Amino acid sequence: MAQMITAQEAAEAMFNMVKEAAGLRKLKPMDLTKNLLELFGDRVDKQICKEAIRELVESGRCVYTYFGGTYLELPHREGAAND
Amino acid sequence: MADKLPPTPKLDELEKGPWPSFVSEIKMAAKSSLASQDLLGLLERSYNEKIGHWKHGGIVGVLGYGGGVIGRYCDLPAEFPNVSHFHTVRVNQPAGWYYKTDALRKICDIWEKRGSGLTNMHGSTGDIILLGTRTDELEPIFAELTAIGFDLGGSGSDVRTPSCCLGKSRCEWACYDTMALTHDLTQSFQDELHRPAFPYKFKFKMSGCPNDCVASVARADISIIGTWRDNIRVNQDAVLEYTKNGLNIQKEVIAFCPGKCMEWDGKQLDIDNSTCRRCMHCINVMPKALRPGKDTGATVLIGSKAPIIEGALLSSVLIPFWKPVAPYTDLKDLMGRIWEIWCEEGKNRERIGEFIQRMGMGNFLETIGVEPIPEMVAHPRENPYVFYEEYLVEDDEEEGQDKN
């Protein structure tokens, strides 16, 4: 059986995906999960992906945003925000 | 502060008539709230210009949660500085909307201190809606709400706060304990509620009987509506009492029965329960004479939604009769299978009902491991998930045998 990656490793891979997509396109949590399943195959499962997303959000490295649907993005100053 | 209220001739029109007016409520709040004063000015301007001045959505929220806060900024911050940020906070309501006044006072105290003071009890989701606060107040609000035992509700692409009618706590028609199921689902699906991971929103609504007081059949992705599978209980003496008091049973009960399952000879009411649709009409008209049966449970339906991206849908039957027994493992397992395929194949902003329409109910049922049965069919020969192929194969085989 393949050695499963840890939630921290999954979080790191997801963070890199979000970072690379920043400014180009928005990624939904499910997009990240699907990308990770494609990248790591049977070395990752949905539970690990779930934990990885939680890790990213609770550490503040990524934030949830809402634009019609919910996305995960790097923290940034909101375009619509009023100072 | 009241002298500073802006002139609002258009909004004032909305105070006329015998019904409650949100304008009157905002004006009342404006006596002590600068945000409410600016809100009046901004709304009047929107009515004059026929333009909305809100920018909705975005990044605001509390750490760790993906739902519960709906970001809103005003696009005229210089003119209306007190509503330049006007975020909404959704608070998970208790099942059945029962509060002690003490709890309501605490919520209002928090909101008057850290928000506009304006509330909406309750939003269409069922949540307590706190209207209008600034970004820097969100974390303190969250901390203070959790300290008094409240949590944020759902928003965005997640499980929305499950809601229910007050069920067995007050209603004699309730066929199952809606509040217990709602509370259990809320606790069980905390991750799905606070960390959006779906293609779009997902709503549970629980109604205790087919009267469906929370309108779950029209707006919930999963509607769980109380029903019974034995016979309607009839008290013939009470039926006669209704007729003595002037009720025309033929006209007001029998004529409206969708199953045409009742007969009235002037002395006795006969019900053919095998064709009863469990619509509750007769029971609602003669509550002292008729009652739901004793073998009660719920029908689980799937797929309704209000029109947003696509048109409105009503729910379809998924499980005709289900006995809701804690810890409701069978329902939760089914939800897991439904979410699995929807997350895998669903398009962005596609509700489960639209997804089922796109992939076909037959394929959907097969994927989630539910057998198609007649109770799912609204109109025979119209539903695409009646598998005619099997019958055709059988017919061919029979014909072949005849020839031989």
Side-chain angles (χ1 to χ4, degrees):
Chain A
M1 193 183 155
Q3 177 75 36
M4 302 297 272
I5 64 167
T6 64
Q8 285 71 26
E9 288 170 318
E12 199 56 39
M14 282 183 176
F15 180 75
N16 288 332
M17 288 172 193
V18 173
K19 204 164 127 186
E20 281 167 25
L24 300 171
R25 70 188 189 103
K26 296 182 196 302
L27 294 168
K28 293 182 77 93
M30 187 46 62
D31 296 331
L32 292 170
T33 300
K34 284 179 182 174
N35 290 350
L36 223 65
L37 288 169
E38 203 175 303
L39 191 66
F40 291 101
D42 59 1
R43 294 178 59 214
V44 71
D45 60 25
K46 287 184 180 170
Q47 189 53 40
I48 293 176
C49 293
K50 220 173 183 181
E51 286 168 26
I53 290 170
R54 189 169 179 164
E55 158 86 23
L56 284 175
V57 172
E58 292 189 349
S59 66
R61 295 177 80 196
C62 287
V63 289
Y64 284 109
T65 61
Y66 180 81
F67 297 95
T70 302
Y71 300 90
L72 271 172
E73 294 186 70
L74 298 179
H76 58 274
R77 187 191 177 277
E78 188 156 25
N82 298 319
D83 292 324
Chain B
M1 207 180 265
D3 298 340
K4 293 177 185 172
L5 289 184
T8 54
K10 284 209 165 62
L11 288 179
D12 295 347
E13 291 294 313
L14 297 173
E15 290 189 281
K16 295 175 182 171
W19 40 80
S21 166
F22 75 94
V23 175
S24 303
E25 298 296 320
I26 300 175
K27 282 183 179 174
M28 205 186 302
K31 290 175 186 168
S32 57
S33 157
L34 292 170
S36 297
Q37 285 181 17
D38 272 4
L39 182 62
L40 284 170
L42 184 72
L43 277 178
E44 182 71 16
R45 182 154 170 172
S46 283
Y47 276 97
N48 283 325
E49 296 175 353
K50 298 180 181 172
I51 296 172
H53 285 288
W54 298 119
K55 298 180 287 184
H56 166 64
I59 201 170
V60 293
V62 298
L63 184 66
Y65 278 25
V69 178
I70 296 100
R72 186 172 289 116
Y73 295 97
C74 166
D75 67 0
L76 301 168
E79 289 166 72
F80 301 99
N82 297 304
V83 291
S84 65
H85 299 206
F86 206 71
H87 311 313
T88 293
V89 179
R90 267 190 201 151
V91 182
N92 193 328
Q93 82 283 13
W97 298 293
Y98 283 102
Y99 304 93
K100 287 183 178 174
T101 50
D102 177 51
L104 290 173
R105 281 199 191 93
K106 284 175 180 169
I107 290 172
C108 290
D109 286 346
I110 292 170
W111 199 239
E112 282 175 4
K113 181 177 159 197
R114 301 201 176 272
S116 71
L118 294 171
T119 63
N120 173 9
M121 304 288 276
H122 298 82
S124 58
T125 50
D127 299 86
I128 304 163
I129 308 288
L130 306 178
L131 293 158
T133 191
R134 298 186 60 79
T135 305
D136 50 12
E137 294 285 7
L138 290 171
E139 288 292 351
I141 287 165
F142 180 50
E144 289 177 22
L145 282 171
T146 49
I148 60 166
F150 283 90
D151 194 3
L152 298 188
S155 69
S157 305
D158 63 9
V159 166
R160 299 302 179 84
T161 317
S163 73
C164 65
C165 68
L166 43 69
K168 289 192 170 178
S169 67
R170 289 195 68 192
C171 179
E172 59 188 314
W173 305 140
C175 294
Y176 72 99
D177 191 343
T178 54
M179 291 170 62
L181 177 60
T182 302
H183 180 73
D184 189 285
L185 292 181
T186 305
Q187 298 301 325
S188 300
F189 295 136
Q190 282 290 295
D191 198 47
E192 289 78 4
L193 208 157
H194 296 309
R195 296 176 190 87
F198 294 154
Y200 204 16
K201 64 182 87 167
F202 195 94
K203 298 179 181 179
F204 287 98
K205 294 196 189 296
M206 277 55 82
S207 285
C209 81
N211 282 330
D212 195 10
C213 288
V214 290
S216 66
V217 79
R219 60 205 186 107
D221 297 274
I222 289 288
S223 320
I224 302 176
I225 302 177
T227 189
W228 63 96
R229 60 181 168 185
D230 54 351
N231 297 339
I232 292 177
R233 286 177 279 170
V234 186
N235 179 339
Q236 297 291 353
D237 293 339
V239 174
L240 283 173
E241 193 67 26
Y242 273 105
T243 59
K244 281 181 196 163
N245 291 330
L247 179 72
N248 185 334
I249 291 184
Q250 190 62 44
K251 188 178 168 190
E252 294 174 48
V253 180
I254 310 275
F256 288 110
C257 176
K260 304 293 175 209
C261 68
M262 308 182 100
E263 281 183 10
W264 168 244
D265 62 5
K267 292 177 186 165
Q268 179 148 328
L269 183 71
D270 289 320
I271 303 175
D272 175 6
N273 282 277
S274 65
T275 55
C276 171
R277 306 269 175 89
R278 274 66 175 168
C279 75
M280 293 285 291
H281 173 71
C282 57
I283 296 173
N284 290 335
V285 177
M286 299 189 286
K288 289 178 184 169
L290 304 177
R291 301 181 63 77
K294 288 181 177 173
D295 187 8
T296 59
T299 299
V300 180
L301 303 99
I302 189 166
S304 64
K305 60 178 278 292
I308 299 181
I309 310 288
E310 302 280 337
L313 291 173
L314 289 177
S315 292
S316 301
V317 171
L318 188 63
I319 305 172
F321 191 84
W322 173 61
K323 279 276 184 193
V325 179
Y328 317 106
T329 311
D330 45 356
L331 180 74
K332 291 171 193 169
D333 288 347
L334 178 66
M335 294 320 305
R337 299 199 295 279
I338 290 171
W339 288 337
E340 175 91 17
I341 180 67
W342 182 45
C343 287
E344 197 67 38
E345 306 288 344
K347 292 180 183 173
N348 192 21
R349 302 192 79 187
E350 184 176 49
R351 293 284 286 271
I352 190 76
E354 295 160 346
F355 173 69
I356 293 169
Q357 278 194 329
R358 182 165 62 83
M359 79 179 294
M361 184 61 111
N363 293 329
F364 177 74
L365 292 176
E366 198 175 335
T367 311
I368 62 169
V370 172
E371 283 290 313
I373 49 172
E375 285 89 337
M376 298 173 177
V377 181
H379 303 284
R381 299 180 187 279
E382 284 184 15
N383 298 56
Y385 52 95
V386 178
F387 301 109
Y388 293 107
E389 293 90 340
E390 294 167 21
Y391 303 109
L392 290 173
V393 170
E394 283 173 14
D395 288 347
D396 289 347
E397 283 171 359
E398 282 169 16
E399 280 172 21
Q401 283 166 1
D402 288 343
K403 281 173 190 171
N404 291 333

